[in-house]
Amino acid sequence: MGSACHYLQAGIKSVDLSEDSPLLPILNDVRKSNRKLSISQCFKSIVQNPSFVMLAPIAVGIALWFGLEPTDGLTPTAIRLLAVFTSCIIALIMTSMDISVIVLTGLTLLAVTQSFECVDKATGLSTECRLCGEVNPLTDNVYDCHGPKDAFNQSLKGFSSSVVWLIFAAFHLGKAVQVTQLGRRLSLWMIAMFGKHILGLAYAIVLSELVLAPFVPSNTARGGGIVLPVVQSIATTLGSSPQNNSAIGAYLMLVASHANLLSASMYLTGMASNPIVVAKANQLFPHLNFGFVTWFTGSIVPALFCAIALPILLYHFCGMASKNEQMSSGENITKHAQVELEAMGCMSLRECQLCFVLLGCLCLWISTNITGLDSTLVALLGIVCLLHMRTITWKDIATNTSAWDTLFWLGGFVTIAEQLSETGASAYLGQCISDAIEQLALPPVPALATAYFLTTFMFSSLSAHTVAFVATFLEAAKSVGAHAQILTALLAYFGALGGCMTNFSTGSAAMFYAQGYVHRSTWFIVGLKLALFYLVVYFSIGMLWWKMLGWH
């Protein structure tokens, strides 16, 4: 074998051997081995090719686009939107393609094929853009709209969403915390206080979310504008970046993101869309009287259990336990933080200015019911003040690429999500789920609640998911005779907790993901594990607690 390999390595292409030569079988074996290796390498290169990986989402999209038959509840436009949205989600999970490229591709395809809902100027009613210029069979009037132009305008609609601009503004508030070094000061203080172990920092982050949540009704403003800059600074101070030693930063980002959703589920005022659930439930079930106190009373036990378990679970999910020696801060880290704090000296003027602006934003966010100011407007007002006080410069904003990137892809996702609701695709899916539950004779409360939880996977906005589905699921609950208070509680809490599964479910999740510490596949895997954890906790500890409260 050694002689044969010597010939091959020397580049000898042919060797004159007789049929009786003992080297002949060896050379044949080598040729077969090389052929198998070449085929294996070729197959591997094909499978890893980005174009090949994209075949799966494209195939699913084509199957839905041409395979689904329109019905009374599902128009051709709704089918196309559903096909493109599903393809985008699969592409996000399976490929490494940039999320903005995926969203741009989807929006362009929908605009070119006029697969949006347009407005008939003659009646003011919504109609499919593909029907513009055709005769309405019911009125014999022509649909007064311009298909190609109006479809393109609809594709840009999500970029005017206040939620998208709130996220954009929160990114820049975070940049200000970084530029002024206020975030570094706060992070050093937290490390000095809680940094003997990384778990101590994680619990400090969870506690800050639980304290802020009842006073800041926007989970995006709370997570992205207040908590994220501090978490980012802590990770940087501990020597973690997306390129180097990213494990610490990834763990802290995941803790902060999921703590944000957990705190949003704990209070009626924890998330902007929470009151929608209460309003619809009280409308359908007048005897319910599900308000702030009822919400908090029902959530406190299961939510606190999850809050205690969350840092420990993520510690293991992120593989931190196997890196215990590197992750434990110890006395040296806390002493180093104290030395660094002393070296920073007193707060600078810019830090004081930023504190003043952030406290002002916090007060306006808390008093939004009194002032009537939108959370996004408050955040933009804060940025304008910082610019005029020269706390930050326009160059700081212009070079904040994460903010601009998130503005683009999230705006595109919001467009598609809103169109899914307008075309009735979301409601259609919800109704199909409810009908299936009834036909299969499943227990209505756990079945409806689980389905509601899982459907958040389809949405880039928790508010959009609530608006699209909560009425459908509550109506289904009423028709099948489900327990009103228990189901309302589950839908209320799951409306926020369901966002744990993806990195685009809400603005705060998108912002934590955009820092670049956590790989996309890791985010989804961890999210699915936590989804299972939440379902188990609320169907066990939650149900037991509600039985003690006399809700059953």
Side-chain angles (χ1 to χ4, degrees), residues 166-178 182 186 209 212 216 218-231 260 354 357-359 361-362 365 379 507-508 511-512:
L166 175 61
I167 297 164
F168 179 75
F171 262 106
H172 296 305
L173 290 176
K175 182 73 171 181
V177 173
Q178 178 186 347
L182 177 62
L186 291 174
E209 270 287 350
L212 287 171
V216 184
S218 169
N219 69 306
T220 299
R222 184 173 68 250
I226 300 174
V227 177
L228 173 59
V230 177
V231 174
N260 177 262
L354 180 57
V357 170
L358 290 179
L359 286 174
C361 289
L362 180 60
W365 279 328
S508 57
M511 294 176 70
F512 284 111

Side-chain angles (χ1 to χ4, degrees), residues 179 350 386-387 390-399:
V179 168
R350 293 205 304 168
L386 291 175
L387 285 170
R390 298 185 180 179
T391 310
I392 58 174
T393 65
W394 182 254
K395 186 176 181 180
D396 294 324
I397 291 178
T399 55

Side-chain angles (χ1 to χ4, degrees), residues 290-313:
F290 202 96
F292 183 92
V293 175
T294 308
W295 184 300
F296 180 69
T297 304
S299 69
I300 186 168
V301 170
L304 284 180
F305 178 85
C306 292
I308 293 170
L310 183 64
I312 299 173
L313 286 174

Side-chain angles (χ1 to χ4, degrees), residues 222-240:
R222 184 173 68 250
I226 300 174
V227 177
L228 173 59
V230 177
V231 174
Q232 174 69 46
S233 297
I234 291 174
T236 303
T237 305
L238 290 176
S240 178

Side-chain angles (χ1 to χ4, degrees), residues 17-256:
L17 297 171
S18 65
E19 293 183 359
D20 298 330
S21 173
L23 285 178
L24 190 60
I26 297 174
L27 286 172
N28 288 333
D29 289 341
V30 170
R31 292 191 189 101
K32 291 178 181 178
S33 176
N34 287 339
R35 189 180 300 111
K36 289 179 181 178
L37 184 61
S38 299
I39 294 172
S40 175
Q41 289 176 336
C42 181
F43 179 75
K44 187 177 180 180
S45 64
I46 292 173
V47 171
Q48 291 179 344
N49 189 289
S51 300
F52 179 83
V53 177
M54 280 300 295
L55 288 178
I58 291 173
V60 171
I62 291 174
L64 292 175
W65 187 297
F66 297 103
L68 286 177
E69 292 292 332
T71 64
D72 292 337
L74 200 64
T75 64
T77 296
I79 292 172
R80 295 175 182 179
L81 281 161
L82 193 60
V84 170
F85 183 77
T86 305
S87 294
C88 288
I89 299 301
I90 295 174
L92 283 175
I93 298 171
M94 295 186 61
T95 74
S96 59
M97 184 177 291
D98 192 275
I99 190 170
S100 294
V101 176
I102 294 172
V103 172
L104 177 61
T105 304
L107 282 179
T108 304
L109 176 61
L110 291 170
V112 168
T113 57
Q114 302 177 38
S115 301
F116 287 114
E117 285 286 304
C118 294
V119 177
D120 183 0
K121 297 181 178 63
T123 61
L125 300 176
S126 180
T127 187
E128 297 176 76
C129 293
R130 65 184 184 86
L131 299 177
C132 291
E134 297 185 9
V135 177
N136 186 338
L138 300 177
T139 63
D140 291 332
N141 295 323
V142 176
Y143 288 111
D144 187 10
C145 53
H146 191 272
K149 181 179 179 181
D150 290 353
F152 178 67
N153 290 337
Q154 288 296 323
S155 70
L156 303 177
K157 195 174 180 181
F159 298 99
S160 64
S161 167
S162 63
V163 174
V164 173
W165 282 95
L166 175 61
I167 297 164
F168 179 75
F171 262 106
H172 296 305
L173 290 176
K175 182 73 171 181
V177 173
Q178 178 186 347
V179 168
T180 61
Q181 302 257 323
L182 177 62
R184 186 169 184 268
R185 185 182 297 277
L186 291 174
S187 65
L188 285 170
W189 179 81
M190 290 182 70
I191 292 169
M193 293 292 292
F194 308 103
K196 290 184 179 180
H197 195 277
I198 194 71
L199 276 172
L201 292 172
Y203 277 109
I205 293 168
V206 173
L207 180 61
S208 65
E209 270 287 350
L210 296 180
V211 171
L212 287 171
F215 307 108
V216 184
S218 169
N219 69 306
T220 299
R222 184 173 68 250
I226 300 174
V227 177
L228 173 59
V230 177
V231 174
Q232 174 69 46
S233 297
I234 291 174
T236 303
T237 305
L238 290 176
S240 178
S241 69
Q243 292 77 31
N244 300 304
N245 193 23
S246 62
I248 296 176
Y251 172 65
L252 294 177
M253 290 295 167
L254 284 169
V255 168

Side-chain angles (χ1 to χ4, degrees), residues 256-283:
S257 179
H258 291 290
N260 177 262
L261 295 172
L262 184 59
S263 64
S265 74
M266 192 169 179
Y267 308 96
L268 174 60
T269 55
M271 189 171 70
S273 59
N274 286 351
I276 298 173
V277 181
V278 172
K280 188 62 181 178
N282 289 332
Q283 178 186 347

